[in-house]
Structures are given as structure tokens and as C-alpha cells.
mmCIF file of all heavy atoms in Angstrom:
data_model
loop_
_atom_site.group_PDB
_atom_site.id
_atom_site.type_symbol
_atom_site.label_atom_id
_atom_site.label_comp_id
_atom_site.label_asym_id
_atom_site.label_seq_id
_atom_site.Cartn_x
_atom_site.Cartn_y
_atom_site.Cartn_z
ATOM 1 N N GLY A 1 89.082 -98.211 2.814
ATOM 2 C CA GLY A 1 90.181 -97.274 3.040
ATOM 3 C C GLY A 1 90.432 -97.090 4.523
ATOM 4 O O GLY A 1 89.931 -97.834 5.361
ATOM 5 N N GLY A 2 91.214 -96.081 4.844
ATOM 6 C CA GLY A 2 91.618 -95.812 6.221
ATOM 7 C C GLY A 2 93.126 -95.877 6.348
ATOM 8 O O GLY A 2 93.821 -96.376 5.456
ATOM 9 N N THR A 3 93.635 -95.380 7.447
ATOM 10 C CA THR A 3 95.082 -95.492 7.665
ATOM 11 C C THR A 3 95.489 -96.950 7.850
ATOM 12 O O THR A 3 96.673 -97.275 7.880
ATOM 13 C CB THR A 3 95.538 -94.644 8.870
ATOM 14 O OG1 THR A 3 94.712 -94.927 10.005
ATOM 15 C CG2 THR A 3 95.445 -93.155 8.553
ATOM 16 N N SER A 4 94.489 -97.838 7.928
ATOM 17 C CA SER A 4 94.753 -99.275 7.924
ATOM 18 C C SER A 4 95.361 -99.754 6.612
ATOM 19 O O SER A 4 95.953 -100.832 6.583
ATOM 20 C CB SER A 4 93.447 -100.049 8.146
ATOM 21 O OG SER A 4 93.030 -99.966 9.476
ATOM 22 N N ILE A 5 95.194 -99.014 5.545
ATOM 23 C CA ILE A 5 95.863 -99.397 4.294
ATOM 24 C C ILE A 5 97.376 -99.252 4.470
ATOM 25 O O ILE A 5 98.162 -100.088 4.027
ATOM 26 C CB ILE A 5 95.385 -98.520 3.117
ATOM 27 C CG1 ILE A 5 93.883 -98.723 2.843
ATOM 28 C CG2 ILE A 5 96.214 -98.791 1.870
ATOM 29 C CD1 ILE A 5 93.539 -100.033 2.195
ATOM 30 N N GLY A 6 97.798 -98.188 5.127
ATOM 31 C CA GLY A 6 99.214 -97.867 5.216
ATOM 32 C C GLY A 6 100.009 -98.744 6.157
ATOM 33 O O GLY A 6 101.165 -99.065 5.883
ATOM 34 N N ALA A 7 99.419 -99.156 7.305
ATOM 35 C CA ALA A 7 100.183 -99.954 8.272
ATOM 36 C C ALA A 7 100.649 -101.279 7.666
ATOM 37 O O ALA A 7 101.843 -101.589 7.707
ATOM 38 C CB ALA A 7 99.378 -100.165 9.546
ATOM 39 N N PRO A 8 99.764 -102.094 7.069
ATOM 40 C CA PRO A 8 100.255 -103.343 6.470
ATOM 41 C C PRO A 8 101.114 -103.110 5.237
ATOM 42 O O PRO A 8 102.030 -103.899 4.956
ATOM 43 C CB PRO A 8 98.971 -104.108 6.126
ATOM 44 C CG PRO A 8 97.917 -103.069 6.021
ATOM 45 C CD PRO A 8 98.298 -102.008 7.004
ATOM 46 N N SER A 9 100.848 -102.041 4.495
ATOM 47 C CA SER A 9 101.661 -101.749 3.311
ATOM 48 C C SER A 9 103.083 -101.398 3.717
ATOM 49 O O SER A 9 104.059 -101.863 3.107
ATOM 50 C CB SER A 9 101.037 -100.610 2.505
ATOM 51 O OG SER A 9 99.767 -100.981 1.989
ATOM 52 N N TRP A 10 103.239 -100.585 4.761
ATOM 53 C CA TRP A 10 104.582 -100.245 5.225
ATOM 54 C C TRP A 10 105.269 -101.453 5.878
ATOM 55 O O TRP A 10 106.497 -101.597 5.798
ATOM 56 C CB TRP A 10 104.544 -99.057 6.179
ATOM 57 C CG TRP A 10 104.726 -97.765 5.442
ATOM 58 C CD1 TRP A 10 103.763 -96.900 5.023
ATOM 59 C CD2 TRP A 10 105.976 -97.215 4.999
ATOM 60 N NE1 TRP A 10 104.324 -95.846 4.350
ATOM 61 C CE2 TRP A 10 105.687 -96.011 4.326
ATOM 62 C CE3 TRP A 10 107.297 -97.616 5.110
ATOM 63 C CZ2 TRP A 10 106.676 -95.199 3.766
ATOM 64 C CZ3 TRP A 10 108.295 -96.824 4.558
ATOM 65 C CH2 TRP A 10 107.980 -95.628 3.890
ATOM 66 N N ALA A 11 104.489 -102.338 6.494
ATOM 67 C CA ALA A 11 105.080 -103.587 6.977
ATOM 68 C C ALA A 11 105.671 -104.360 5.805
ATOM 69 O O ALA A 11 106.755 -104.944 5.898
ATOM 70 C CB ALA A 11 104.029 -104.428 7.702
ATOM 71 N N GLY A 12 104.950 -104.341 4.661
ATOM 72 C CA GLY A 12 105.470 -104.975 3.454
ATOM 73 C C GLY A 12 106.739 -104.311 2.957
ATOM 74 O O GLY A 12 107.687 -104.990 2.548
ATOM 75 N N ILE A 13 106.779 -102.969 2.996
ATOM 76 C CA ILE A 13 107.978 -102.248 2.556
ATOM 77 C C ILE A 13 109.181 -102.637 3.417
ATOM 78 O O ILE A 13 110.290 -102.827 2.913
ATOM 79 C CB ILE A 13 107.737 -100.720 2.606
ATOM 80 C CG1 ILE A 13 106.677 -100.315 1.569
ATOM 81 C CG2 ILE A 13 109.046 -99.958 2.355
ATOM 82 C CD1 ILE A 13 106.214 -98.872 1.685
ATOM 83 N N SER A 14 108.951 -102.780 4.719
ATOM 84 C CA SER A 14 110.063 -103.166 5.595
ATOM 85 C C SER A 14 110.588 -104.550 5.229
ATOM 86 O O SER A 14 111.786 -104.826 5.382
ATOM 87 C CB SER A 14 109.640 -103.126 7.067
ATOM 88 O OG SER A 14 108.821 -104.229 7.415
ATOM 89 N N GLN A 15 109.716 -105.423 4.735
ATOM 90 C CA GLN A 15 110.159 -106.753 4.313
ATOM 91 C C GLN A 15 111.029 -106.673 3.053
ATOM 92 O O GLN A 15 111.970 -107.452 2.892
ATOM 93 C CB GLN A 15 108.949 -107.650 4.060
ATOM 94 C CG GLN A 15 108.142 -107.992 5.300
ATOM 95 C CD GLN A 15 108.918 -108.844 6.283
ATOM 96 O OE1 GLN A 15 109.663 -108.334 7.125
ATOM 97 N NE2 GLN A 15 108.743 -110.146 6.192
ATOM 98 N N LEU A 16 110.719 -105.745 2.182
ATOM 99 C CA LEU A 16 111.563 -105.547 0.995
ATOM 100 C C LEU A 16 112.965 -105.101 1.415
ATOM 101 O O LEU A 16 113.977 -105.565 0.866
ATOM 102 C CB LEU A 16 110.936 -104.507 0.066
ATOM 103 C CG LEU A 16 109.484 -104.728 -0.375
ATOM 104 C CD1 LEU A 16 109.035 -103.597 -1.300
ATOM 105 C CD2 LEU A 16 109.291 -106.083 -1.034
ATOM 106 N N ILE A 17 113.007 -104.195 2.397
ATOM 107 C CA ILE A 17 114.300 -103.738 2.923
ATOM 108 C C ILE A 17 115.044 -104.899 3.570
ATOM 109 O O ILE A 17 116.242 -105.104 3.334
ATOM 110 C CB ILE A 17 114.090 -102.595 3.932
ATOM 111 C CG1 ILE A 17 113.502 -101.358 3.234
ATOM 112 C CG2 ILE A 17 115.402 -102.234 4.628
ATOM 113 C CD1 ILE A 17 113.036 -100.278 4.203
ATOM 114 N N SER A 18 114.333 -105.675 4.390
ATOM 115 C CA SER A 18 114.966 -106.802 5.080
ATOM 116 C C SER A 18 115.517 -107.818 4.092
ATOM 117 O O SER A 18 116.615 -108.362 4.285
ATOM 118 C CB SER A 18 113.957 -107.469 6.020
ATOM 119 O OG SER A 18 113.579 -106.595 7.068
ATOM 120 N N GLN A 19 114.751 -108.081 3.025
ATOM 121 C CA GLN A 19 115.237 -109.037 2.024
ATOM 122 C C GLN A 19 116.529 -108.552 1.380
ATOM 123 O O GLN A 19 117.508 -109.295 1.274
ATOM 124 C CB GLN A 19 114.183 -109.265 0.940
ATOM 125 C CG GLN A 19 114.656 -110.231 -0.155
ATOM 126 C CD GLN A 19 113.754 -110.245 -1.370
ATOM 127 O OE1 GLN A 19 112.696 -109.619 -1.389
ATOM 128 N NE2 GLN A 19 114.167 -110.951 -2.416
ATOM 129 N N GLN A 20 116.518 -107.280 0.959
ATOM 130 C CA GLN A 20 117.700 -106.765 0.274
ATOM 131 C C GLN A 20 118.881 -106.634 1.230
ATOM 132 O O GLN A 20 120.038 -106.818 0.838
ATOM 133 C CB GLN A 20 117.389 -105.428 -0.390
ATOM 134 C CG GLN A 20 118.454 -104.993 -1.380
ATOM 135 C CD GLN A 20 117.909 -104.083 -2.471
ATOM 136 O OE1 GLN A 20 116.813 -103.548 -2.359
ATOM 137 N NE2 GLN A 20 118.678 -103.892 -3.528
ATOM 138 N N LYS A 21 118.601 -106.361 2.483
ATOM 139 C CA LYS A 21 119.653 -106.240 3.501
ATOM 140 C C LYS A 21 120.180 -107.610 3.929
ATOM 141 O O LYS A 21 121.331 -107.747 4.345
ATOM 142 C CB LYS A 21 119.091 -105.488 4.714
ATOM 143 C CG LYS A 21 120.068 -105.258 5.851
ATOM 144 C CD LYS A 21 119.376 -104.494 6.973
ATOM 145 C CE LYS A 21 120.337 -104.140 8.089
ATOM 146 N NZ LYS A 21 120.896 -105.305 8.779
ATOM 147 N N GLY A 22 119.308 -108.610 3.854
ATOM 148 C CA GLY A 22 119.693 -109.937 4.303
ATOM 149 C C GLY A 22 119.538 -110.141 5.787
ATOM 150 O O GLY A 22 120.064 -111.103 6.353
ATOM 151 N N ALA A 23 118.822 -109.245 6.457
ATOM 152 C CA ALA A 23 118.596 -109.320 7.902
ATOM 153 C C ALA A 23 117.419 -108.407 8.233
ATOM 154 O O ALA A 23 117.089 -107.503 7.454
ATOM 155 C CB ALA A 23 119.842 -108.886 8.678
ATOM 156 N N PRO A 24 116.760 -108.616 9.391
ATOM 157 C CA PRO A 24 115.636 -107.745 9.753
ATOM 158 C C PRO A 24 116.041 -106.275 9.788
ATOM 159 O O PRO A 24 117.107 -105.917 10.291
ATOM 160 C CB PRO A 24 115.224 -108.245 11.141
ATOM 161 C CG PRO A 24 115.666 -109.673 11.160
ATOM 162 C CD PRO A 24 116.947 -109.706 10.373
ATOM 163 N N ALA A 25 115.161 -105.426 9.255
ATOM 164 C CA ALA A 25 115.459 -103.989 9.186
ATOM 165 C C ALA A 25 115.374 -103.316 10.545
ATOM 166 O O ALA A 25 116.059 -102.327 10.802
ATOM 167 C CB ALA A 25 114.499 -103.310 8.208
ATOM 168 N N GLY A 26 114.514 -103.821 11.429
ATOM 169 C CA GLY A 26 114.314 -103.177 12.721
ATOM 170 C C GLY A 26 113.459 -101.928 12.591
ATOM 171 O O GLY A 26 112.817 -101.679 11.565
ATOM 172 N N ASN A 27 113.446 -101.126 13.648
ATOM 173 C CA ASN A 27 112.661 -99.890 13.626
ATOM 174 C C ASN A 27 113.191 -98.950 12.556
ATOM 175 O O ASN A 27 114.396 -98.680 12.483
ATOM 176 C CB ASN A 27 112.723 -99.217 15.007
ATOM 177 C CG ASN A 27 111.871 -97.979 15.086
ATOM 178 O OD1 ASN A 27 112.271 -96.915 14.638
ATOM 179 N ND2 ASN A 27 110.688 -98.116 15.658
ATOM 180 N N LEU A 28 112.288 -98.410 11.710
ATOM 181 C CA LEU A 28 112.702 -97.596 10.566
ATOM 182 C C LEU A 28 112.860 -96.113 10.873
ATOM 183 O O LEU A 28 113.368 -95.356 10.035
ATOM 184 C CB LEU A 28 111.680 -97.731 9.422
ATOM 185 C CG LEU A 28 111.368 -99.106 8.838
ATOM 186 C CD1 LEU A 28 110.547 -98.948 7.552
ATOM 187 C CD2 LEU A 28 112.622 -99.915 8.576
ATOM 188 N N ASN A 29 112.428 -95.667 12.042
ATOM 189 C CA ASN A 29 112.272 -94.226 12.269
ATOM 190 C C ASN A 29 113.547 -93.413 12.076
ATOM 191 O O ASN A 29 113.541 -92.376 11.403
ATOM 192 C CB ASN A 29 111.703 -93.966 13.659
ATOM 193 C CG ASN A 29 110.245 -94.375 13.768
ATOM 194 O OD1 ASN A 29 109.603 -94.666 12.762
ATOM 195 N ND2 ASN A 29 109.728 -94.420 14.973
ATOM 196 N N THR A 30 114.642 -93.841 12.674
ATOM 197 C CA THR A 30 115.873 -93.051 12.590
ATOM 198 C C THR A 30 116.259 -92.799 11.141
ATOM 199 O O THR A 30 116.578 -91.664 10.751
ATOM 200 C CB THR A 30 117.019 -93.764 13.327
ATOM 201 O OG1 THR A 30 116.699 -93.847 14.721
ATOM 202 C CG2 THR A 30 118.333 -93.013 13.163
ATOM 203 N N ARG A 31 116.217 -93.828 10.319
ATOM 204 C CA ARG A 31 116.617 -93.684 8.918
ATOM 205 C C ARG A 31 115.604 -92.881 8.117
ATOM 206 O O ARG A 31 115.990 -92.069 7.256
ATOM 207 C CB ARG A 31 116.824 -95.067 8.298
ATOM 208 C CG ARG A 31 117.384 -95.029 6.880
ATOM 209 C CD ARG A 31 118.761 -94.416 6.838
ATOM 210 N NE ARG A 31 119.338 -94.477 5.483
ATOM 211 C CZ ARG A 31 120.156 -93.568 4.987
ATOM 212 N NH1 ARG A 31 120.527 -92.528 5.732
ATOM 213 N NH2 ARG A 31 120.632 -93.705 3.763
ATOM 214 N N ILE A 32 114.302 -93.056 8.390
ATOM 215 C CA ILE A 32 113.284 -92.257 7.698
ATOM 216 C C ILE A 32 113.534 -90.770 7.935
ATOM 217 O O ILE A 32 113.470 -89.953 7.013
ATOM 218 C CB ILE A 32 111.866 -92.647 8.161
ATOM 219 C CG1 ILE A 32 111.468 -94.003 7.568
ATOM 220 C CG2 ILE A 32 110.844 -91.579 7.757
ATOM 221 C CD1 ILE A 32 110.140 -94.528 8.075
#
């Protein structure tokens, strides 16, 4: 465990967004 679980998992989530968007999502902070 550790917050190390979340960093790669959220990197994966950004890839799901990028796939559906058809382009890199970029920094997520503003939209979050």
C-alpha cells in the first residue's frame, strides 16, 4: 500500500480520458 497506489492509478485514469478525448488530457487540476 501507500500513496504509491494512487499515483500510477491516476496516471491510468488520465489515459482513459486521453483515449476518449482522442488527444493527451494534459494537467487535470483545473477540471478536477
Side-chain angles (χ1 to χ4, degrees):
T3 50
S4 286
I5 297 287
S9 296
W10 268 98
I13 294 171
S14 75
Q15 293 294 86
L16 306 180
I17 295 170
S18 294
Q19 178 192 354
Q20 193 153 15
K21 181 180 185 296
N27 183 280
L28 302 191
N29 289 349
T30 296
R31 186 63 176 148
I32 286 175

